Structure formats: C-alpha cells, structure tokens
C-alpha cells in the first residue's frame, strides 16, 4: 500500500513536470497531449472508481498548482473523470487497446469541453465550432494515440506492485 | 454493504463541497489558500527549471549545424549594421543628455524610474491547451508580489498573478482572462486589449471599445495607458493587424499582433517597484 502511494505519487509528479515543460516541443497541429488526463483514464480503467477518483483528484490538484487560476477546478474535474470512467470498467475487456483509445477520446472531448465552457461562460459567449475544430478534436486524437503507451506503462506498474504485494502478505 | 456505499457517497459529496469552497476562496488573490499551492511549486520548480533548460539546449543543438552558413552571412551583415549603429549611438547619446536636462527642467517623472528590472526565466507553461499561464523562476523570495508587470525588451508580456516562494504564475496578455487598458499611440484614444481564445493559438489578441471616431489603421502601435494602476504608462503592446466590424453591433474591434513572440518566449523582466529608495528620493527633492 505504501509502495503504491509512493510510486503513483512519483508518476503524477513526473508526468506533471513533463507536461508543463518539455511537452511544449511536441506540439502537433498546435496542441499538446494531456498526459495527466490519459493517466487518470488508464488508472480508472484498470483499478475502478475509487482509485480512479483519488488519482484524478491528485492529478488535478497538481495541475491547479502549476497553472490553475483557482485552486480546485482541475482537481474537481479530475475527481469526477476518474470516478465516472472507473465506474464503467467492469463489463469491459480491459486489456484491449481499443478500449483505452476509445475512452481517452471520449473523456478528452468531455473534459476539455468542460474546461473551455467554465473558462469562458462567465465572460464571452460560448462558441461551439472553433474550440472543437482548433483544440478539442486534434487533442482528442493526439491523446488517443499516446494513451496506448501510457496504458501499457500503467499496466506494467501495477504488475510490479502486485508482485511486491504478494511477497510479504496478502490482503 | 449499504453502509459502505453510503459512506462512499458521503465522502464524495463532502470532497466536492470542500473543493467548491476552496475554489471560491481562492478566487480572492490575497487569500491564504493560494499559499497552499506553494507547497508543490517549491518542490516542482527545480525539476521544471532543469527540464526546460534541457529542452532549450536540445532545441539549440538540433539546429546547430544548419545554422553555421546562415550565421556567417548574418555576421557580415551585422558587422556592417554595427558600424552604422555605432554612429547613431553617438548621436543618441547626445540626445539622451539633452533629453535628461530638459526633463529635469520640466520636472517630468521618469517613466520607469520607480521600477527595478528583475530578470527571470520561464520554467513551465500551462499543461492544458486553453490558457496561457506560465511560471517564472522568481518568487516572493526575490520580492515579487501579485500584479507586478512582466515585460521583455520588446514589449508587454503580462502580469504576475500568484507569487510562490521560488516561482510565480504569470498570466500573459493573450490569455482570455487578461484585460489591459491601452492607448493608440498615434491618436491617444483609450482602448481595451483582451486575450481571445480563438486568436491565442496564433499568438494574437483583440482590441475592443475602439471609439467610433478614432482614426485607426493597420500598423498602428498600441501601448499601455497607465489607467488602472497595474501597468506603467507607455509600454509597447503591439501593432494593429486587422480592423474588423462586428456584424450585429455597430462597433469595431481590431486584431493586435503583440510585439512579444509568445511562442518563443524564454526570458522575461519583472518590473519591481522601488520601495526602499523612495524615501531617499523624496529626501533629495527636499
């Protein structure tokens, strides 16, 4: 349990750091992928809603601290993203790559639209075409591609963790 | 089982409420909740500094070999230009002295006289694609607090929103949350420069509230007006790129091309108010 917390914490830490610095050089069609979002979706699919929600919360909180305008906005979004994605996992064959690709695509569209909506609704009229064309759809496609790698990475981490857990005791 | 579910739901509702309250409180810039964000930024900022440094170095080394020819040619051009500039510099030096004397005679306040320039590196950018908030490697340790203007030698960049201990968040003028009171240099008309989501990707922003009788053309320079008290007067913002008409309302707006290239921004200057020198200055006046 302790090892899990430490390792997940380190993962979030490094992903957030990559996301805010070097990833700017990996822009395609003027968008960069959202690794934290993919990480939340992967964990939620693998481990269900409770763990998904907790990881989502902390990923969001990290993002809030790096560049949020109010503290808690991304945390709340991440929490519900992890919770909702994690709640639908039981009837799916999780190891299939298409599942994670599909879920990442849908989550990105919903998540980014929420960010856009709450970011503009109090100031400017909400426009539907240009944000979808310029940011949401390109980012969703980019995320879906990257999600395969992060998903495999997440599976590896959990394999290692369960190995470590099995040795001393079972719970 | 029912109890477990109940308690889970209870935890969820409770967390949501707590986050909502924290969000509400943290919209107030001076609240202590924002200091909470410091905790992580203190841990993150050295790593971010290192990584963005590596990124910049890598980008530099990729283009290194292609550049040599161009650099040679550029070098010759620059040498020629240097001679020319040297001549101009001597002239300007002369003007500078005269200007200073005249200013003193008229008792005008120096534009940036009350400020100290503090250099800073950009160490992290917004993780998302919507906003343009970035982190710089100066914090309250260096005496930075919120609303300090951030510029480069070319023009206005933005302002500090949340100062941390070692790093601070800066909001760029192309962010949709940013509004700057500005002035058309030629006609002295007051306008408002705002960030716009659809223009942000191209590094542009828009200008609103153009007076109907204002004579405005493509290429006009826009500068800060000093109204509002955050930005000092006369910092260049950019040039007018396009003047457009709103169809529904009979007002005009313009697309501004900022003088600063936001895509290639690495170093900035923070304008810090001189505090300790103020007393001595007033002493001199007496």
């Amino acid at each position: 349990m302790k090892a899990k917390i430490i390792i997940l914490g380190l993962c979030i830490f490094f992903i957030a750091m990559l996301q805010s610095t070097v990833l700017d050089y990996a822009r395609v069609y003027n968008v960069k992928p959202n690794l934290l979002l993919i990480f939340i979706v992967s964990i939620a699919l693998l481990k269900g809603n409770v763990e998904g929600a907790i990881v989502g919360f902390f990923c969001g909180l990290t993002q809030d601290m790096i560049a949020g305008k109010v503290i808690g906005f991304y945390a709340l979004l991440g929490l519900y993203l992890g919770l909702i994605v994690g709640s639908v996992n039981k009837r799916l064959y999780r190891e299939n790559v298409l599942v994670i690709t599909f879920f990442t695509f849908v989550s990105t569209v919903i998540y980014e639209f929420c960010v856009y909506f709450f970011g503009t609704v109090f100031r400017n009229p909400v426009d539907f075409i240009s944000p979808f064309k310029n940011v949401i759809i390109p980012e969703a496609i980019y995320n879906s591609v990257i999600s395969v790698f992060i998903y495999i990475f997440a599976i590896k981490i959990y394999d290692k963790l369960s190995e470590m857990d099995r040795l001393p005791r079972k719970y | 089982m029912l109890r477990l579910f109940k308690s889970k739901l209870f935890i969820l509702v409770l967390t949501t409420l707590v986050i909502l309250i924290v969000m509400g409180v943290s919209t107030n810039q001076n609240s202590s909740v924002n200091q909470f964000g410091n905790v992580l930024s203190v841990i993150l900022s050295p790593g971010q500094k290192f990584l963005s440094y590596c990124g910049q170095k890598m980008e530099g080394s990729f283009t290194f070999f292609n550049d040599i020819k161009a650099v040679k040619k550029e070098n010759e051009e620059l040498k020629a230009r240097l001679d020319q500039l040297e001549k101009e510099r001597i002239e300007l030096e002369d003007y500078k002295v005269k200007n200073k004397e005249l200013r003193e005679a008229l008792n005008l306040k120096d534009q940036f006289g009350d400020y100290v320039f503090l250099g800073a590196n950009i160490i992290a950018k917004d993780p998302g694609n919507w906003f343009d908030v970035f982190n710089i490697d100066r914090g309250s340790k260096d005496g930075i607090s919120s609303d300090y203007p951030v510029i480069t030698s070319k023009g206005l960049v933005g302002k500090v929103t949340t100062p941390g201990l070692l790093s601070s968040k800066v909001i760029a003028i192309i962010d949709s949350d940013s509004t700057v009171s500005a002035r058309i240099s030629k006609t002295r008309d007051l306008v408002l420069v705002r960030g716009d989501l659809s223009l942000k990707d191209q590094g542009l922003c828009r200008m609103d509230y153009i007076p109907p009788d204002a004579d405005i053309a493509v290429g006009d320079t826009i500068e800060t007006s000093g109204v509002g008290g955050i930005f000092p007067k006369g910092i260049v913002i950019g040039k007018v790129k396009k003047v457009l008409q709103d169809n529904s309302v009979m007002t005009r707006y313009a697309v501004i091309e900022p003088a600063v290239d936001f895509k290639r921004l690495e170093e900035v200057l923070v304008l810090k108010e001189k505090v300790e020198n103020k007393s001595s200055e007033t002493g001199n006046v007496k």
Side-chain angles (χ1 to χ4, degrees):
Chain A
M1 195 65 190
K2 251 184 209 160
K4 189 197 253 175
I5 292 172
I6 291 170
I7 287 176
L8 283 182
L10 279 178
C11 282
I12 296 173
F13 184 80
F14 279 109
I15 290 175
M17 216 149 76
L18 280 179
Q19 176 89 43
S20 61
T21 53
V22 196
L23 221 64
D24 230 44
Y25 297 102
R27 277 178 184 272
V28 173
Y29 199 71
N30 223 337
V31 289
K32 52 182 174 184
N34 194 336
L35 299 184
L36 285 169
L37 183 144
I38 305 170
F39 191 65
I40 298 170
V41 175
S42 307
I43 301 289
L45 273 182
L46 280 172
K47 285 286 146 182
N49 55 9
V50 176
E51 223 161 303
I54 294 170
V55 169
F57 174 77
F58 281 105
C59 282
L61 201 63
T62 320
Q63 201 168 342
D64 273 325
M65 287 170 182
I66 293 172
K69 283 167 188 163
V70 287
I71 288 179
F73 175 66
Y74 288 111
L76 199 64
L77 269 180
L79 176 80
Y80 278 94
L81 178 74
L83 190 79
I84 293 166
V85 174
S87 304
V88 284
N89 79 327
K90 289 199 178 99
R91 287 172 215 101
L92 287 163
Y93 182 56
R94 295 187 285 104
E95 249 79 65
N96 194 335
V97 171
L98 278 178
V99 173
I100 177 73
T101 319
F102 173 75
F103 268 96
T104 312
F105 190 88
V106 175
S107 323
T108 311
V109 171
I110 296 169
Y111 179 92
E112 294 295 349
F113 187 72
C114 285
V115 177
Y116 168 72
F117 185 78
F118 290 113
T120 48
V121 73
F122 304 116
R123 234 164 294 108
N124 301 317
V126 176
D127 176 22
F128 282 93
I129 300 161
S130 82
F132 270 99
K133 203 183 86 190
N134 292 332
V135 181
I136 296 180
I137 299 296
E139 195 195 316
I141 295 169
Y142 201 171
N143 275 355
S144 312
V145 175
I146 304 275
S147 68
V148 178
F149 302 104
I150 298 215
Y151 193 55
I152 293 168
F153 172 69
I155 291 176
K156 286 240 168 85
I157 287 177
Y158 272 103
D159 281 352
K160 278 267 158 61
L161 277 173
S162 60
E163 247 171 57
M164 277 161 72
D165 259 2
R166 212 174 296 141
L167 290 175
R169 70 192 164 92
K170 233 173 177 179
Y171 73 103
Chain B
M1 193 62 201
L2 194 68
R3 189 179 286 169
L4 185 76
F5 176 72
K6 258 187 185 164
S7 68
K8 252 188 204 171
L9 196 69
F10 177 72
I11 291 170
L12 180 68
V13 172
L14 194 75
T15 342
T16 311
L17 278 178
V18 169
I19 297 174
L20 283 177
I21 292 169
V22 168
M23 270 166 78
V25 175
S26 72
T27 46
N28 179 8
Q29 273 184 8
N30 300 324
S31 72
S32 54
V33 177
N34 283 324
Q35 294 306 314
F36 174 66
N38 261 340
V39 181
L40 201 87
S41 74
V42 168
I43 315 168
L44 268 172
S45 62
Q48 285 173 332
K49 226 184 219 176
F50 172 71
L51 270 181
S52 48
Y53 177 78
C54 290
Q56 282 164 20
K57 277 281 158 310
M58 285 241 287
E59 203 194 20
S61 60
F62 276 134
T63 50
F64 182 74
F65 294 103
N66 298 338
D67 282 352
I68 284 186
K69 252 185 197 168
V71 164
K72 258 187 186 166
K73 202 181 155 202
E74 206 185 343
N75 194 14
E76 276 165 24
E77 284 172 11
L78 285 177
K79 268 181 188 158
R81 186 147 170 71
L82 196 67
D83 288 341
Q84 189 196 338
L85 285 177
E86 187 63 26
K87 208 177 81 193
E88 277 176 22
R89 193 189 66 87
I90 295 166
E91 274 174 36
L92 284 177
E93 199 73 22
D94 189 34
Y95 286 135
K96 195 178 164 188
V97 176
K98 272 183 198 157
N99 190 2
K100 202 183 164 196
E101 281 168 7
L102 289 171
R103 262 177 188 278
E104 269 168 15
L106 285 169
N107 207 2
L108 272 180
K109 207 171 152 192
D110 194 2
Q111 206 190 120
F112 297 124
D114 292 345
Y115 291 95
V116 185
F117 293 86
L118 198 65
N121 293 309
I122 293 179
I123 52 167
K125 289 186 172 164
D126 199 310
N129 285 313
W130 297 109
F131 305 113
D132 218 300
V133 178
F134 53 83
N135 294 20
I136 54 171
D137 63 348
R138 298 276 188 175
S140 47
K141 189 176 65 85
D142 306 291
I144 285 178
S145 72
S146 58
D147 283 346
Y148 277 14
V150 178
I151 61 166
T152 67
S153 55
K154 295 214 177 78
L156 187 67
V157 174
K159 66 170 187 194
V160 175
T161 52
T162 333
L165 186 64
L166 299 174
S167 64
S168 336
K169 282 181 205 169
V170 173
I171 180 169
I173 53 167
I174 56 170
D175 187 287
S176 57
D177 262 355
S178 146
T179 16
V180 182
S181 165
R183 200 186 278 283
I184 305 168
S185 305
K186 192 174 68 182
T187 62
R188 317 307 294 165
D189 282 310
L190 269 180
V191 286
L192 214 59
V193 172
R194 298 193 303 170
D196 191 90
L197 266 180
S198 49
L199 294 172
K200 200 212 82 177
D201 287 340
Q202 303 149 47
L204 306 171
C205 46
R206 71 182 265 169
M207 182 165 85
D208 281 318
Y209 300 113
I210 304 171
D213 57 334
D215 174 24
I216 175 174
V218 174
D220 283 357
T221 311
I222 310 295
E223 58 184 40
T224 53
S225 68
V227 179
I230 294 176
F231 302 108
K233 193 176 163 182
I235 304 174
V236 175
I237 296 176
K239 284 203 161 78
V240 177
K241 205 185 176 203
K242 245 190 279 177
V243 185
L244 298 157
Q245 186 111 31
D246 262 336
N247 285 334
S248 49
V249 218
M250 285 302 286
T251 51
R252 287 180 296 172
Y253 70 95
V255 176
I256 306 286
E257 189 171 15
V260 178
D261 185 355
F262 282 94
K263 278 187 187 148
R264 286 173 196 81
L265 206 56
E266 281 172 17
E267 284 122 21
V268 292
L269 296 168
V270 184
L271 291 184
K272 201 174 109 180
E273 275 171 65
K274 256 186 218 167
V275 183
E276 57 280 337
N277 289 9
K278 242 175 198 169
S279 54
S280 65
E281 259 174 37
T282 47
N284 283 342
V285 170
K286 275 174 195 172

